[in-house]
Amino acid sequence: MASAPGARFAGMADEHRYRIHRPASQVQAEARESILRYMQDSPVPRDELLDQLPLFSSRHALGRVFMMQALYERILDVHGAVLVFGVRWGRDMAILQTLRAILEPNNTARRIIGFDTFSGFPAVSDQDGGNQVGDFGVPPGYAQVLESILHQRDVEDGNLYPRREIVEGDVVESLPRWLREHPETVIAMAYFDMDLYEPTRAALDAIRPHVTRGTLVGFDEASHPLYPGETVALREAWGLPDVRLQRTRFAGTPSFFVVE
């Protein structure tokens, strides 16, 4: 009998530990653990569980959805693709996939492209503070799992035109190669969540010829003391005095500017 989709990856997250900075008081941490137990032992019927996930989602997780929606709404009249730099488990890819289906179901030209090593930070530089090689990796083979999940989401939504791609590898090499293979690319939104100086700087330089007036360029850790490399890359590649760095009301750290 065929195994359930993703069954061979069960337990991966438990077998691989990854360093994540999540400041919280002891009371908050205990409450989070309690919610996790409620979710694992939930009496919600299996066929209703996907629709009831907000019951267990954190304020941070729901705020992420609202934040991404606020950014996406700014590019509805901007032609081009959405590029995500830093995919990890695929949360933002899934959010953007759903936002596209809800906000512009008739825009058959909008592609969503995600770039990630899927093995964590490949290297760190002097600009990257105390971050370490391998941080934020995922188990081997997860990129294929994510592709399967996103495919099933498209099927469930009745989306016959996925217009979606996951590009695995170091963006310093993979992005220029991908752009050479897709010279037609116009970028409506580029969202940076790689945390590090070198890949962020390389990607900012590479996308510059592909942006247009109205392109939104977003950052997950600009001005973040734990990930200084992202800000250094932005300052060097674009120049802080030349952009208006803005934020939404739904999340503290993420920011963006719109190409004028």
Side-chain angles (χ1 to χ4, degrees):
M1 185 174 68
S3 60
R8 67 190 179 93
F9 297 96
M12 273 189 169
D14 293 332
E15 295 171 6
H16 296 74
R17 299 298 179 185
Y18 307 100
R19 192 166 66 94
I20 301 177
H21 301 288
R22 190 185 298 279
S25 69
Q26 182 64 29
V27 172
Q28 288 174 312
E30 290 174 356
R32 181 180 178 85
E33 185 62 32
S34 179
I35 293 170
L36 282 170
R37 288 196 298 270
Y38 277 121
M39 182 174 70
Q40 291 168 344
D41 301 331
S42 174
V44 176
R46 179 180 172 84
D47 62 349
E48 293 185 46
L49 190 56
L50 290 179
D51 291 332
Q52 299 301 322
L53 287 181
L55 173 63
F56 308 104
S57 295
S58 66
R59 175 175 60 87
H60 173 82
L62 292 175
R64 185 79 177 187
V65 175
F66 297 153
M67 183 271 289
M68 281 294 178
Q69 178 179 345
L71 300 188
Y72 202 110
E73 287 180 339
R74 286 177 170 266
I75 64 164
L76 289 175
D77 62 350
V78 181
H79 195 46
V82 175
L83 273 56
V84 179
F85 298 107
V87 173
R88 202 164 186 248
W89 299 115
R91 167 194 60 187
D92 291 342
M93 292 286 288
I95 294 173
L96 291 166
Q97 180 185 37
T98 298
L99 289 174
R100 181 179 60 185
I102 293 173
L103 297 177
E104 48 176 6
N106 296 321
N107 186 355
T108 58
R110 184 80 78 201
R111 294 178 296 160
I112 301 173
I113 317 296
F115 296 82
D116 205 299
T117 64
F118 293 100
S119 59
F121 294 162
V124 295
S125 66
D126 293 341
Q127 294 92 335
D128 293 319
N131 293 289
Q132 301 173 16
V133 172
D135 282 355
F136 298 105
V138 296
Y142 181 72
Q144 289 70 43
V145 179
L146 175 59
E147 173 57 38
S148 296
I149 294 171
L150 296 177
H151 169 70
Q152 294 301 329
R153 289 172 58 88
D154 276 326
V155 172
E156 199 267 341
D157 283 341
N159 179 15
L160 302 179
Y161 307 100
R163 295 156 287 134
R164 177 196 69 251
E165 184 177 351
I166 295 173
V167 182
E168 188 172 0
D170 187 341
V171 75
V172 174
E173 300 175 352
S174 64
L175 176 59
R177 181 172 60 249
W178 188 86
L179 289 172
R180 287 194 299 271
E181 294 170 354
H182 298 275
E184 77 286 357
T185 299
V186 175
I187 299 172
M189 181 169 90
Y191 194 84
F192 288 83
D193 192 9
M194 296 184 290
D195 306 341
L196 302 180
Y197 167 78
E198 184 179 4
T200 303
R201 175 63 198 269
L204 282 169
D205 290 339
I207 68 170
R208 196 78 179 258
H210 297 270
V211 305
T212 183
R213 289 185 179 180
T215 295
L216 186 148
V217 183
F219 300 90
D220 217 59
E221 281 85 24
S223 193
H224 197 302
L226 294 177
Y227 308 101
E230 188 170 295
T231 307
V232 175
L234 167 60
R235 189 173 66 237
E236 291 181 358
W238 226 287
L240 288 176
D242 297 325
V243 301
R244 181 171 177 257
L245 205 57
Q246 306 175 65
R247 57 177 300 276
T248 74
R249 71 186 70 180
F250 305 113
T253 301
S255 57
F256 68 95
F257 69 84
V258 176
V259 177
E260 304 294 344

